[in-house]
């Protein structure tokens, strides 16, 4: 079974600063996807960024980038130029890519607060 | 609609009652998922539909939980004889062949 661990329950950062959210996972699969989701108070999970495990290049989406270390099973999210709207819960998630059920395995989440 | 719609947004019920939660996915999305998110936790997988059939129901906690998707679009999650431990946010998501999951805003269930 796959597990996803987010060891930091909460972080705060000043607006415009850079923050890194950590995530580790455990799996015996060789092909999989990793995700970061954002959950604001509206409860809707919003995809921030996605990484295919077979790709060595780290994914980037505007101010969001990841540091994917496959051997270490580490998948951290870096948010640059933090904005007040980035305040939310952030969840790291894993999905097998074996063509079967595409279910996500989530970590416990981390509460990020961006202060003005 | 433009996104995944879930109703009701909030539901309060008494222990032992029957509850139905509805999910209306994005039009054309063949895959539909139900997740349960307890307080302070990440979402946990319940069931996955591909079309009308449940392709994976391994996450349903017990036989009090059941879900249907009779026409391959709207899905209903049904909970019988509710217990206080069933209190959670129930999230629905849908996806097309591209694979990205789009989530609704969830239904918060409170069992008194």
């Amino acid at each position: 079974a796959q597990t996803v661990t987010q060891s930091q329950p909460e972080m705060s950062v000043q607006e415009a600063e850079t923050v890194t959210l950590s995530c580790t996972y455990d799996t015996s699969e060789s092909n999989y996807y990793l995700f970061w989701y954002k959950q604001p108070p509206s409860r809707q999970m919003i995809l921030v960024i996605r990484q295919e495990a077979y790709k060595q290049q780290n994914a980037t989406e505007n101010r969001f980038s990841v540091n994917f270390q496959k051997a270490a099973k580490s998948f951290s999210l870096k948010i640059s130029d933090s904005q007040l709207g980035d305040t939310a819960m952030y969840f790291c998630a894993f999905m097998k890519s074996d063509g079967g059920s595409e279910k996500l395995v989530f970590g416990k989440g981390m509460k990020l607060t961006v202060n003005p | 609609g433009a996104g995944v719609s879930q109703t009701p947004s909030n539901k309060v019920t008494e222990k032992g009652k029957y509850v139905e939660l509805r999910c209306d996915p994005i039009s054309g999305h063949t895959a539909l998922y139900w997740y349960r998110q307890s307080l302070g936790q990440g979402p946990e997988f319940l069931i996955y539909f591909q079309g009308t059939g449940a392709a994976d129901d391994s996450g349903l906690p017990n036989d009090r939980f059941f879900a249907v998707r009779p026409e391959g679009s709207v899905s209903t999650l049904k909970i019988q004889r509710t217990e206080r431990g069933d209190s959670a946010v129930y999230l629905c998501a849908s996806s097309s062949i591209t694979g990205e999951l789009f989530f609704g805003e969830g239904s918060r269930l409170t069992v008194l």
Side-chain angles (χ1 to χ4, degrees):
Chain A
Q2 289 74 36
T3 59
V4 176
T5 302
Q6 295 178 251
S7 56
Q8 306 155 299
E10 195 166 351
M11 293 183 74
S12 62
V13 65
Q14 293 300 119
E15 196 174 7
E17 290 185 346
T18 294
V19 63
T20 299
L21 287 59
S22 64
C23 172
T24 58
Y25 60 95
D26 191 21
T27 184
S28 58
E29 302 288 329
S30 56
N31 296 318
Y32 51 88
Y33 301 99
L34 295 165
F35 305 83
W36 278 98
Y37 279 87
K38 169 184 177 181
Q39 187 178 42
S42 69
R43 302 194 304 237
Q44 184 180 26
M45 301 287 281
I46 301 166
L47 179 64
V48 174
I49 198 164
R50 159 184 168 142
Q51 174 80 42
E52 289 87 348
Y54 67 86
K55 289 187 177 178
Q56 292 187 338
Q57 186 172 8
N58 289 322
T60 299
E61 286 286 342
N62 301 313
R63 299 184 293 108
F64 300 89
S65 61
V66 299
N67 182 2
F68 174 46
Q69 301 289 329
K70 191 172 184 179
K73 295 180 181 171
S74 170
F75 183 61
S76 61
L77 173 70
K78 185 171 82 170
I79 306 175
S80 303
D81 187 25
S82 298
Q83 300 176 359
L84 298 179
D86 295 334
T87 294
M89 289 290 297
Y90 285 81
F91 293 90
C92 179
F94 171 101
M95 178 192 289
K96 291 194 294 184
S97 62
D98 59 0
S101 172
E102 297 177 339
K103 58 187 178 188
L104 291 161
V105 176
F106 286 90
K108 279 190 171 185
M110 194 219 71
K111 181 178 180 181
L112 176 68
T113 302
V114 180
N115 299 306
Chain B
V4 177
S5 176
Q6 292 189 246
T7 55
S9 179
N10 290 284
K11 174 71 176 178
V12 180
T13 191
E14 293 179 343
K15 179 183 172 183
K17 298 290 188 184
Y18 170 80
V19 166
E20 288 191 352
L21 306 175
R22 174 188 168 110
C23 173
D24 199 341
I26 293 172
S27 178
H29 281 191
T30 57
L32 185 146
Y33 305 78
W34 284 99
Y35 286 81
R36 179 168 72 172
Q37 186 175 18
S38 300
L39 191 63
Q41 303 293 319
E44 294 177 311
F45 171 79
L46 294 177
I47 187 170
Y48 157 61
F49 287 90
Q50 186 59 254
T52 60
D56 183 349
D57 65 358
S58 62
L60 294 177
N62 51 60
D63 62 5
R64 294 187 298 105
F65 288 75
F66 190 70
V68 296
R69 195 186 185 199
E71 297 178 358
S73 178
V74 171
S75 176
T76 304
L77 178 66
K78 307 181 180 193
I79 310 173
Q80 298 178 320
R81 304 183 303 282
T82 52
E83 300 177 357
R84 292 194 179 90
D86 298 336
S87 296
V89 174
Y90 290 82
L91 294 167
C92 177
S94 68
S95 70
S96 66
I97 56 173
T98 62
E100 180 179 345
L101 269 66
F102 293 86
F103 284 83
E105 294 189 350
S107 293
R108 182 183 297 281
L109 175 65
T110 302
V111 182
L112 301 177

